[in-house]
Structure formats: structure tokens, C-alpha cells
Amino acid sequence: MNTNPRRVLYVTYDGLNEQLGQSQVLPYLRGLVKLGHRFEVISFEKPGSPLCYRKEHSEGITWTALRYHKTPTLPATAFDMTQGLAAAGLESILNRTDLIHVRSYVPCALVLPCVEALRIPLLFDMRGLWADERAEAGRWDAEGKQYKGTKAIERVLLRRADAISVLTLRLQNYLRGDYPHAAEIGASIHTIPTCVDLDHFRPDVAPHAETRAELGDAKVLLYLGAIGSYYLPREMANFYLAWRKYASPSRLLVVSRQDATEIRDVLAEAGVAHELVYRSATRAEVPSFVRCGHASFGLYRGRQLASYGTAATKTGETLACGLPFASSVVGDVAVQLGNSPAGVSVSDERPETLDRAARELAAKAFAPGVAAHARRLAESWYDLAPAVTAYDAIYRGMPRRHLAQTSLLDTSWPPSKGNDAVAR
């Protein structure tokens, strides 16, 4: 049991009712509760989700749910920030918060006035370079006010944080090196990727019976997760068309809460739309669907700054279930997958590159021992247990007052490499 537990205000723009909240927020918090920490969580829930004002979510976690407003973009975000600021200030005062842990930019900007006024230490869980991700996905103009304004806020948040966590070593190195304002970052920076519960995602989970029956004896390529502007659905469809040349008979299993229209359209043009099997799943169901596949993949937009912080949850989840994985070269993929018997890195989306990567993935998918190799890769890079321990160490090392001196040093990943503490 942690002898120095903290009372943490945790603010996230990802709802606890969403897949990301279920996979990338709650498992961490529950692990930290077991170490003695206690949480007041403020989340922004999408329309259609059950909405409450405040309740006990589970032991050690009190939850305040606020409504997320999508449009119009700037007024909606401003309103969310205003209601969140009021809730955050109330929770901080009433519960004598020891530190504030914020997930991504919007909630960090939201709580910064409370941090400054009440001198509460701030952990900026940065994730990736949000403004660059949106610009490279075509959602923002890189010369526009939204992008430039967000980059200005980013600079302030990095300068004012007491500790910073990121998803990849590549982003950590960038912030310490080529980032234009690197000299202003006085806080420690910690790499903690998108980890998974290895007890939930396992190679011995039984495949989803109905789906497995529909797939028959096909060699199944799996795509798991969101299909949106950060991904390349048409290129992923083309990757499957290459896969089916080397793994026949073939099916493409898409497990997502977003419609697979673009993927289906490309397959229809090739006359193989009937080979697509689409499913929507809860987090509890995901492992059984993953176990219906023989290999998995993901292709992502952005080869510049946006790629530095990319760490897809699907990578660890599918590897943990014993499937080899092919991915665009984003984040730490080159290090994680490059020379692994269970990994394939995809350098670009040219037809010849996709064909070569699909051929390599098919060869690895049906090689002896691939499931064990994939599982070991997940255990090395994506195990939730050391991620919880890493956050626990950050919490315990945070200063008692905002911007007070701290002994925290940068930490890298994975801890088992023996390089978990890096002096600055």
C-alpha cells in the first residue's frame, strides 16, 4: 500500500462512458486506487450517454459528469470549459485536492486558473501534439487562428506544469530537443504509452462464436477501433486487397463504433464487398472479436509532428491477444515492431509498400509461435501494471505546492529496460 497516497482531481475530455474512457482512464484509476490514491473525476460525456451530476463511480472514485458540446466548435468548447472550471474549482476547494491530473489540452487549460490560484500541483497528461494532429488530419488550417492559438496555449501549459506525461519516447525526445520552446520546460517528462489490461486481453479468450462461424475457414485480417479523420480507411481497404493475395480465402473483420463506409466502397469497387464483416462491440466483448482474427493492422495520417505522439490502443490490445500487428511508422512503432516476429512497420501508403507489408504480415501471421511472440511484445511495451506503477511514482514525487522544487526526473519506457530514470 502506498504510504503517501494523494487526493487527485482527474479531469478528462474523454467520457467515462466512451471506449477510451473505459480502456484508457478507468483501468489506470482503479489500479491507482488499490495503491491508496483517491479520485474526484470530472469528465465530459457525449450526447446519448447517461448523464449524472455527481456520484460514487466505484470505491475511491467520485465522478462528476458534464455534458460535452460539439458545435459550434469554439463557443461549445468555451461553454464546456466554463462549466468545467466551476466544477473543478468547487472540487478543489471542498476536497482539499493534493494534485490535479488533466488528460490533454482542453481540460488542462480549463483547470489552470485553479492551479494558479490555489497553488495545486499540475500533471499535464499531454498525450500527443493535439494541434498538429488536427492540422495534419485536415481539420485545422496550420496558418489559422485555431492552430496558432492552441500552440500558444500548449507553450503555456508545458511551461506551467509540475510534471508532464506523453505517450511515446519520440515525443519526449522532441520536447527535450527540437521543440522550439524546449528551454522553457522545467517539469519532468514521463513516457507512459496506451497500455492494456493483460488479464482482459489474452490469447486464450474464446472467439466470438457467431462471428467465428460466419468467417468460416477464412484467413482473417482484423481492424479494431475508430474510423475517422486520423486514420486512412481507403488505404486500409487497399491493404486488405493486398493481404488477400497472400492469405486465401480471406475476410476483413472491422470492429468499430464508426461506420465502415469508405472501406466498404473500396472493396465494392474491387468486387469483394462481401468479404467485409462489420461488428460493433463493448469493451467486454472486444477480446472475443479480436480472437476471431489472424492478424491486425492500422494506418494513420501524418508523417510530421502529428506522428510523434501517436500510440494506438489497438496495438497493445491485439498483440496481447496473440495477433501480429502492422502499423504506419508513427510514435515508437519502428522500435516496437520493426524487428519483431509479430510486427510489421509500414513506411508509406504507396501500393508497392502496402503490398510488401501485407505479404510480410501474412507470412508472420501463420508462422509457428507467432501468438507467443505477440504476447511477449505486449508484455514488454503495453502492460497496464507498470503504467499504474509509473503514475503512482509521479504522484508521490509531485511537489506539495504548484511550481515548488521537485526531485522528479524524466522517465522513459519500458521500465524493464533499466532506463526508467533519466537525469536532466
Side-chain angles (χ1 to χ4, degrees), residues 273 285-286 361:
E285 296 170 327
V286 167
L361 182 63

Side-chain angles (χ1 to χ4, degrees), residues 21-76:
Q22 293 288 314
S23 66
Q24 291 299 310
V25 176
L26 285 173
Y28 292 80
L29 299 188
R30 288 169 179 152
L32 288 162
V33 165
K34 292 179 181 178
L35 296 177
H37 304 290
R38 293 296 179 263
F39 292 89
E40 292 279 349
V41 178
I42 297 175
S43 69
F44 292 83
E45 304 297 323
K46 301 294 191 294
S49 298
L51 181 67
C52 68
Y53 175 65
R54 189 169 188 268
K55 71 175 185 180
E56 297 297 319
H57 186 278
S58 57
E59 183 181 357
I61 302 174
T62 302
W63 177 33
T64 300
L66 303 173
R67 175 66 73 208
Y68 168 88
H69 298 85
K70 184 175 182 179
T71 56
T73 304
L74 290 178

Side-chain angles (χ1 to χ4, degrees), residues 383-396:
D383 186 0
L384 177 66
V388 170
T389 300
Y391 276 120
D392 173 59
I394 297 171
Y395 285 5
R396 288 187 289 105

Side-chain angles (χ1 to χ4, degrees), residues 396-409:
R396 288 187 289 105
M398 292 278 281
R400 286 293 182 179
R401 291 182 64 80
H402 176 50
L403 295 183
Q405 187 172 1
T406 176
S407 60
L408 279 174
L409 300 176

Side-chain angles (χ1 to χ4, degrees), residues 51 54-55 94 121 123 135-136 139 145 173 212 226 234 240 242 246 249 277 279 320 325 331 341 361 378 383-384 418:
L51 181 67
R54 189 169 188 268
K55 71 175 185 180
L94 295 182
L123 169 57
E136 290 185 36
R139 301 176 70 174
K145 293 181 179 179
N173 292 335
R212 184 63 263 173
R234 298 190 69 84
Y240 170 72
Y246 305 105
V277 176
R279 294 289 187 271
F325 193 85
L361 182 63
D383 186 0
L384 177 66

